[in-house]
Structures are given as C-alpha cells and as structure tokens.
Amino acid sequence: MQFWATVLLDGLTYASYLFIVSLGLTIIFGVMKILNVAHGSFYAWGAYTSAFAIGFISDNDLSEALFLPAILISAILVGVVLGYIIERFILRKMYNQDIHLIVLATFGVFLIFEDLIIITFGVDPYLPYQPAMMLGWIDIVGLNRGVYQLSLILLATIVAFGCWYGLTKTKWGKLLQSVIYDREISEAMGIDVTKVYVVTFIGGAILGALGGAYVAPTTSVSPGFAIDLVVLSFAVVVIGGMGSIPGALIGSLIVGILRAFAVHQAPILELFVVFAVMAIVLIIRPEGLFAPPKPRKI
C-alpha cells in the first residue's frame, strides 16, 4: 500500500510541473504551429529568477509572505520579457519559413540563453529551499511529504482549469480557436492574428517560466538542469498530441507516474520507460493520443 501511495504521490507531483511546462509548449504549437525548442529557456530563467528573488528576501530578512508573490512575479517577468523578445525579433520574421528552420532558430536561441544564464547568475548552484521549509511536512498514509511539493498538484489543477475556462468561456478563447482552425480565414474576418500570436507566445512563455519558478525551491538550480525536463516535455506533447491541452494533461500523468514507478523499482529504466511509451504511441497513433482534428480544405 505504501509503495503504490509513494508512486502515486511522486508521480502526481512530477506530472504537475511537467504539465505546466508542457501546456505552454503545446499551446504555442496549437496556435502558431511552431515547435519552440527555446521553451526550455523560459523554464530555466524562471527558476533562476525565482531562486534569486527568494535568496534576496531571505538574505534581507524580509517577510516570508513575499515568497509566493516573488515566485509568481518572477514567472510573469521572465515570460513577458523573453517571450516578447523571441516572438518580436526572431519568430515574426520566420512565420512563412520552413518548420525545420524555425526549430534550428529556436534551438540557437536556447543555447544563447543558456550561456546568458551563466553570465548573469554564475556557475554555482542556487538552493532556494526556504519556501519549502517554511510550509513543513505532512503525513499521508504513513509517508512524510512536503506541503510545498504537494502544492504543485494544486497549482497544476488551477492552471488546467484556468486554461479550460479561458479557451471555452471567453471571447479571447473563441478568437484563439478561430486562429487555430484557419489563420487565413481569421485574418479575412478582421482578427488581428499578429496580436493573437504575440499574446499566445507570451502566455506560453509565462507557463514555461512558472514551472521553473515554482519548482525552484524543491531542487538545485544549476546550469543545464532544465534540459532533461524540456526533453520530457516534448515526450509529453508527442504522447498526448501536439496542440492538445487534454493531451498535455494525460501525457503528463502517464510520464509522471511511469517515471515514479521506474525510479522506485528500476532507476536505470527511468527514461527508457518514458520513451518506450512514446514510441508505442507513435506506432499506434502517429499524431498522438488526443491530437486535435485538422480542417479538411477543399
């Protein structure tokens, strides 16, 4: 009983921030049809900025109530600044280019921002443990689990509900669905597609940064730490279906729980099981489990 409870709790925790990061990636692809390799930069910069802010609050003996606002502001700041820079000065000039060129361009941006992290924050790891220590621990079926780590599940639930509500119940969501379905028709109907793209990309960037900013107090933030998560995020969106929000949710749960099971049973197979599942899904359903339908043009 304790073993399965451990796997479930660890899997849900890992799946939670994996879902937040993957959600930003899949929303950008769903609207803009761009495979943004630089998404990992948002995660890394969000984590570093959050860690720096938490360290500043602790070093100056400021109120612990500032930790959560600092984390959220870090994510928003990174998403808005980096998202706008990348969309405005790089992607906007490449929308009509081959998708492979966009992948190479965003990969180059990712490498640049990785070097800028070292220049800005140095090579020493950051350990912003204070928010996690502040909330303490809780006993669940005989297992000690950090309240902060478990709060990731609540955050992912809030983000999922917010995205569902925004896409299905708001005017902006209707505009997004129109652009997703057919960009040319949307432009002909007077929708400012450029504005939609900017807001979408910044929103996806904020989600990527939020995943890094919120998970920073649970890990060692050091150069290159975001690479593994970005690879797994791509696995999530491939399993769930590129551009599918339900797919990102289900894919995150599959990857998170499988990874937790492998870590506790056969650590050497931690990554193997994830990519084995991805390969099986691609063989059976090449477009993913919940790939959105494509419009048929006559």
Side-chain angles (χ1 to χ4, degrees):
M1 178 65 182
Q2 282 197 341
F3 169 76
W4 290 111
T6 301
V7 170
L8 181 62
L9 288 175
D10 290 350
L12 287 177
T13 302
Y14 189 77
S16 295
Y17 66 85
L18 190 58
F19 167 70
I20 295 171
V21 177
S22 303
L23 182 62
L25 184 64
T26 202
I27 286 176
I28 290 173
F29 182 86
V31 176
M32 304 171 67
K33 302 299 182 287
I34 288 176
L35 192 58
N36 179 32
V37 182
H39 198 70
S41 300
F42 306 141
Y43 177 84
W45 273 85
Y48 265 98
T49 305
S50 173
F52 179 83
I54 291 170
F56 180 84
I57 292 171
S58 298
D59 293 342
N60 291 276
D61 296 323
L62 300 178
S63 173
E64 293 180 340
L66 294 175
F67 284 143
L68 181 58
I71 291 172
L72 298 178
I73 292 172
S74 297
I76 294 172
L77 181 64
V78 168
V80 170
V81 174
L82 297 190
Y84 179 79
I85 290 174
I86 294 174
E87 196 284 333
R88 175 64 181 83
F89 297 103
I90 297 174
L91 294 180
R92 192 174 299 183
K93 303 178 185 300
M94 304 187 69
Y95 285 141
N96 296 321
Q97 301 294 326
D98 184 79
I99 187 173
H100 300 94
L101 293 178
I102 297 177
V103 170
L104 290 174
T106 54
F107 179 66
V109 171
F110 173 74
L111 295 178
I112 291 171
F113 280 117
E114 283 290 297
D115 287 341
L116 286 176
I117 282 178
I118 297 176
I119 294 171
T120 305
F121 297 101
V123 296
D124 294 331
Y126 283 64
L127 300 170
Y129 59 86
Q130 291 86 350
M133 293 295 292
M134 178 186 70
L135 293 180
W137 302 77
I138 188 173
D139 184 89
I140 301 179
V141 293
L143 301 172
N144 264 338
R145 285 293 179 270
V147 174
Y148 186 88
Q149 285 85 342
L150 294 177
S151 71
L152 277 164
I153 301 173
L154 175 62
L155 177 65
T157 303
I158 293 172
V159 169
F161 176 79
C163 286
W164 169 82
Y165 184 86
L167 288 173
T168 60
K169 304 296 183 179
T170 66
K171 178 181 178 180
W172 182 257
K174 302 299 182 183
L175 293 177
L176 276 183
Q177 292 182 39
S178 174
V179 173
I180 291 171
Y181 188 79
D182 195 306
R183 173 183 174 178
E184 289 77 14
I185 295 297
S186 299
E187 287 180 323
M189 295 176 64
I191 297 175
D192 189 346
V193 174
T194 300
K195 181 180 178 181
V196 171
Y197 277 11
V198 172
V199 175
T200 298
F201 194 82
I202 289 176
I206 290 174
L207 288 172
L210 178 61
Y214 205 86
V215 82
T218 68
T219 187
S220 172
V221 181
S222 56
F225 89 109
I227 294 176
D228 288 343
L229 187 79
V230 173
V231 173
L232 289 175
S233 296
F234 277 100
V236 165
V237 297
V238 169
I239 291 172
M242 299 293 291
S244 170
I245 293 177
L249 176 60
I250 300 301
S252 298
L253 290 173
I254 292 173
V255 170
I257 293 176
L258 280 178
R259 177 185 175 275
F261 181 82
V263 165
H264 290 285
Q265 284 293 95
I268 195 172
L269 299 178
E270 175 186 350
L271 291 179
F272 172 79
V273 294
V274 173
F275 293 108
V277 170
M278 184 179 72
I280 293 171
V281 169
L282 288 176
I283 291 171
I284 299 174
R285 291 182 62 88
E287 294 184 353
L289 296 176
F290 297 92
K294 296 182 178 179
R296 183 169 63 91
K297 296 184 178 181
I298 300 176

